[in-house]
């Protein structure tokens, strides 16, 4: 939701606090079971004042979905445009997807469980963004099949396997455990790529390429 004219930085700080609070409450109790008054009480605002910042309860859900999808789409597009082999791009995208899960764990709960609470154009826009992410993954898998890195398979099924392995991480993830996003990405991709390539994927060479690409991107 755009900031209304005449509202300074303090307005935006408070609005972001409200979104964070709503994400935590929705993740714990569910969107439908969390009332607007409870959100207001948690952030210290009366109902009318809360609407001044958010417009509606559904706007909160839109913002939470956007915090997951918008940065993911930006990075997915950037990775897709890299001059790198498809498997390297998939491995980089895997790690970025897991970074979002680590950084926005409450949001991911809401993203996965409550997105169908959106209505009308809000739901349509969110579903379209999801399809864009799926399209990038599917396209990279097709590229990897075409260059011989992976065996030929149904690309839609391969895309669903790739995303489902990553997207369910939120159900058990403890960000304080020893596994970080990079470690999980390597593990997931090694499992998937070995299966997709019939055990013929050179994993050490892949990781060397990923490290080189990451270094080049940050230089």
């Amino acid at each position: 939701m755009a900031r209304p004219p005449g509202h300074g930085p303090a307005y935006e700080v408070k609005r972001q606090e409200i979104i964070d609070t709503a994400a935590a409450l929705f993740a714990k109790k569910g969107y439908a079971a969390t009332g607007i008054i409870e959100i207001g009480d948690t952030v210290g605002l009366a109902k009318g004042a809360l609407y001044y910042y958010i417009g509606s309860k559904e706007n909160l859900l839109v913002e939470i979905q956007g915090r997951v999808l918008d940065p993911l789409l930006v990075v997915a597009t950037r990775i897709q445009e890299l001059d790198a082999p498809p498997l390297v791009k998939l491995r980089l995208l895997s790690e970025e997807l897991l970074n979002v899960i680590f950084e926005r764990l409450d949001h991911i709960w809401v993203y996965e469980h409550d997105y169908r609470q959106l209505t009308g154009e809000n739901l349509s826009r969110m579903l379209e963004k999801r399809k864009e992410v799926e399209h990038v993954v599917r396209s990279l898998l097709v590229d990897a099949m075409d260059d011989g890195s992976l065996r030929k398979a149904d690309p839609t099924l391969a895309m669903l396997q790739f995303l489902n392995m990553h997207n369910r991480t939120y159900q058990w993830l403890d960000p304080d455990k020893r596994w970080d996003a990079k470690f999980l990405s390597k593990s997931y991709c090694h499992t998937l790529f070995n299966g997709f390539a019939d055990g013929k994927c050179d994993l050490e060479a892949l990781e060397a390429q990923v490290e080189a690409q990451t270094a080049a991107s940050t230089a």
Side-chain angles (χ1 to χ4, degrees):
M1 185 175 72
R3 187 172 72 192
H7 293 72
Y11 170 91
E12 187 61 25
V13 169
K14 188 64 177 179
R15 195 173 73 89
Q16 294 302 320
E17 177 194 345
I18 294 166
I19 297 167
D20 285 336
T21 299
L25 288 171
F26 293 164
K28 182 178 180 181
K29 301 182 64 175
Y31 174 81
T34 304
I36 200 72
I37 293 176
E38 181 179 5
I39 298 169
D41 288 345
T42 305
V43 296
L45 291 173
K47 185 176 180 180
L50 186 64
Y51 281 129
Y52 168 75
Y53 285 97
I54 64 168
S56 71
K57 182 182 173 184
E58 185 166 335
N59 277 343
L60 287 171
L61 192 53
V62 170
E63 293 283 353
I64 292 165
Q65 298 285 326
R67 282 182 171 186
V68 173
L69 281 167
D70 292 343
L72 185 57
L73 276 172
V74 169
V75 75
T77 300
R78 176 180 61 78
I79 288 171
Q80 190 174 30
E81 294 172 352
L82 291 173
D83 182 15
L87 286 190
V88 172
K89 296 180 184 181
L90 282 164
R91 173 56 180 82
L92 291 169
L93 182 56
S94 161
E95 188 168 333
E96 291 293 347
L97 176 55
L98 287 164
N99 276 328
V100 172
I101 294 172
F102 270 80
E103 293 165 6
R104 298 285 194 186
L105 191 54
D106 285 342
H107 292 62
I108 293 294
W109 272 93
V110 180
Y111 172 80
E112 290 291 339
H113 287 270
D114 291 319
Y115 71 92
R116 292 201 178 275
Q117 300 284 345
L118 292 169
T119 61
E121 287 300 312
N122 287 334
L123 178 60
S124 297
R125 283 193 297 270
M126 188 277 302
L127 291 175
E128 187 59 36
K129 289 180 181 180
R130 284 184 171 228
K131 289 179 182 178
E132 289 180 45
V133 174
E134 291 175 354
H135 177 72
V136 172
V137 175
R138 189 183 187 280
S139 296
L140 293 177
L141 287 164
V142 169
D143 289 344
M145 293 174 194
D146 288 344
D147 76 3
S149 300
L150 303 180
R151 61 179 167 81
K152 294 291 185 179
D154 184 321
T156 298
L157 180 57
M159 175 269 293
L160 291 171
Q161 289 174 293
F162 182 94
L163 287 176
N164 283 342
M165 178 173 273
H166 291 76
N167 289 347
R168 293 298 174 262
T169 303
Y170 79 95
Q171 294 180 325
W172 53 262
L173 178 66
D174 180 350
D176 296 326
K177 284 189 174 180
R178 64 185 181 277
W179 302 320
D180 60 11
K182 182 176 182 178
F183 177 87
L184 288 178
S185 176
K186 288 173 66 174
S187 178
Y188 287 2
C189 286
H190 289 189
T191 298
L192 287 167
F193 294 169
N194 258 332
F196 289 158
D198 286 332
K200 299 173 183 177
C201 181
D202 187 340
L203 300 175
E204 290 187 5
L206 170 64
E207 287 305 319
Q209 289 176 297
V210 168
E211 293 297 331
Q213 185 65 53
T214 301
S217 297
T218 57

